Amino acid sequence: MAAVEPLRMPPLSDGGDEVLTWLKRMRDEQPLWADERGVQHVFRYDDVQAVMSDPARFSSNIGRVMPGFDPEQVSANLASQDPPEHRLLRQLVSQAFTPRTVTGLRPRIAEITRELLDAAPEGEFDFVEHVAHPLPVTVIAELLGVSPGDRAFFRSCADALLGTRAEAVSAAEHAKALAEANKELQEYLSAEARRRRADGSGGLIGALTAAELDGRRLTDLQVATFSGLLLTAGHITITLLLGSTLLALRDNPEAEARLRKDRSAVPAAFEESLRLRPPFHRVVRVSTQDVEVAGGVIPAHRLVMASTLSANRDDRQFPDPDRFDVDRRPNRHLGFGHGIHFCLGGPLARVETEIALNLLFDEFTELEVTGEPAFHDSEFYGPKQLTVSARR
């Protein structure tokens, strides 16, 4: 008797066509699935939202079941913390990274975007390379207060952490380069935290070192870890969302025509793009006890993968879920997470994308995606190369 091929999630390298079909099948037929490694996967909107909303039963600290994680690093990472420590860390970070901080960046974000658009080649160019990738790296570097002389190093770390690599580089070589980039970035940011704590210099790193609540302050490692998280998560989110939004407009030219005429609809277009193509297509939790989900039971102490990409396409929550609809109301997507770990950088992503899209429409009378985009294949959902033809 022939062996049965194990059920596997398809790769994302085709832009998601195959995986979206697979996710619909899983939502309808197998909403709770254990893969060959014993990892538990959930796919329906209500179940994904429940996993993200219940830190008592679904911990963010994956170090519980993953050997090799440095406990000190885990304890310094806001994204890996559960209550009550998470609440304190988030309150301290929020003292420095405020809505006013993001609003104050608007003129500089517009200036950086204009500079990138002015420098883009005439005719065809890679939109990711020339606009979507450098924009968030530059903004976050300036927000943190990274000195101009260090920005080439900062960007090289961002390149590695985004996961881009030449075809000739093996997965093992890339993993080694990724670990080294993360180590170098952590060392750099920790040194910056120590320096600014000593001399009182500014930028977000300086503000983080000065934040205080009930006599408690962030450690240098916590400042460095949050700064690195802002770089990686913020950079990836904005880079991929800008490219994904252009793809959505390619497939829906009537939506682009409307946005060019009615710029008030640009924020709604961003939310719809985030729903359809969330850059982080799943979140990882650890079950702390046996939990009933989707008609089955997730055993205690298992990794749980909650698919935000699947949840955002669930017709139980979203009518006509595969349609790009700038008039979708309400749009309770999970692209920025849910619950206590709702993305702190969401307001910055919204501001950057809104400014960038408006300036693209101002600068180019025509902006057409040409050729076949290249996509990330596993960790992130979105284009890593996107050739466009532009007419100023």
Side-chain angles (χ1 to χ4, degrees), residues 96-116:
F97 190 46
T98 65
R100 179 178 293 181
T101 301
V102 173
T103 300
L105 288 170
R106 293 186 73 97
R108 183 58 183 143
I109 293 171
E111 186 177 5
I112 294 168
T113 306
R114 289 191 189 96
E115 291 170 357
L116 292 171

Side-chain angles (χ1 to χ4, degrees), residues 194-203 206-207 209:
R194 290 192 296 272
R195 179 178 69 82
R196 297 186 202 195
R197 195 184 300 277
D199 65 18
S201 54
T209 65

Side-chain angles (χ1 to χ4, degrees), residues 62-299:
I62 63 174
R64 289 169 175 258
V65 296
M66 297 285 285
F69 275 75
D70 182 348
E72 187 179 19
Q73 288 283 347
V74 170
S75 66
N77 191 341
L78 179 66
S80 301
Q81 290 299 296
D82 299 319
E85 185 67 12
H86 173 271
R87 185 179 303 109
L88 176 62
L89 285 179
R90 186 159 181 135
Q91 287 175 337
L92 283 166
V93 166
S94 297
Q95 283 187 19
F97 190 46
T98 65
R100 179 178 293 181
T101 301
V102 173
T103 300
L105 288 170
R106 293 186 73 97
R108 183 58 183 143
I109 293 171
E111 186 177 5
I112 294 168
T113 306
R114 289 191 189 96
E115 291 170 357
L116 292 171
L117 295 179
D118 288 345
E122 295 294 330
E124 285 194 339
F125 61 91
D126 181 357
F127 178 75
V128 174
E129 177 186 354
H130 290 279
V131 182
H133 177 59
L135 173 61
V137 174
T138 307
V139 170
I140 293 169
E142 293 196 8
L143 170 64
L144 293 173
V146 173
S147 65
D150 291 340
R151 286 179 189 164
F153 161 77
F154 200 71
R155 178 166 176 175
S156 71
C157 290
D159 289 345
L161 294 169
L162 182 58
T164 57
R165 69 174 187 262
E167 291 299 324
V169 177
S170 70
E173 290 171 322
H174 178 61
K176 182 179 178 181
L178 188 64
E180 185 61 28
N182 188 59
K183 180 175 179 288
E184 291 179 355
L185 181 64
Q186 282 289 309
E187 290 174 349
Y188 171 84
L189 292 171
S190 293
E192 285 293 296
R194 290 192 296 272
R195 179 178 69 82
R196 297 186 202 195
R197 195 184 300 277
D199 65 18
S201 54
L204 180 60
I205 294 176
L208 288 166
T209 65
E212 183 176 354
L213 182 66
D214 297 331
R216 174 88 178 263
R217 289 191 171 189
L218 296 167
T219 66
D220 293 339
L221 181 58
Q222 287 170 336
V223 171
T225 302
F226 176 74
S227 300
L229 180 65
L230 185 63
L231 169 65
T232 53
H235 172 219
I236 291 164
T237 297
I238 295 163
T239 296
L240 270 59
L241 275 175
L242 284 172
S244 291
T245 301
L246 290 194
L247 288 175
L249 297 180
R250 175 200 65 181
D251 297 337
N252 299 272
E254 73 288 349
E256 179 179 351
R258 175 177 170 185
L259 294 180
R260 285 182 176 276
K261 292 179 180 178
D262 178 12
R263 302 298 180 83
S264 69
V266 166
F270 165 79
E271 299 296 335
E272 187 69 340
S273 180
L274 182 56
R275 181 185 70 83
L276 288 170
R277 290 184 174 271
F280 294 93
H281 60 89
R282 61 192 178 193
V283 299
V284 185
R285 298 289 188 265
V286 176
S287 57
T288 62
Q289 61 191 66
D290 293 355
V291 187
E292 291 187 12
V293 176
V297 175
I298 295 177

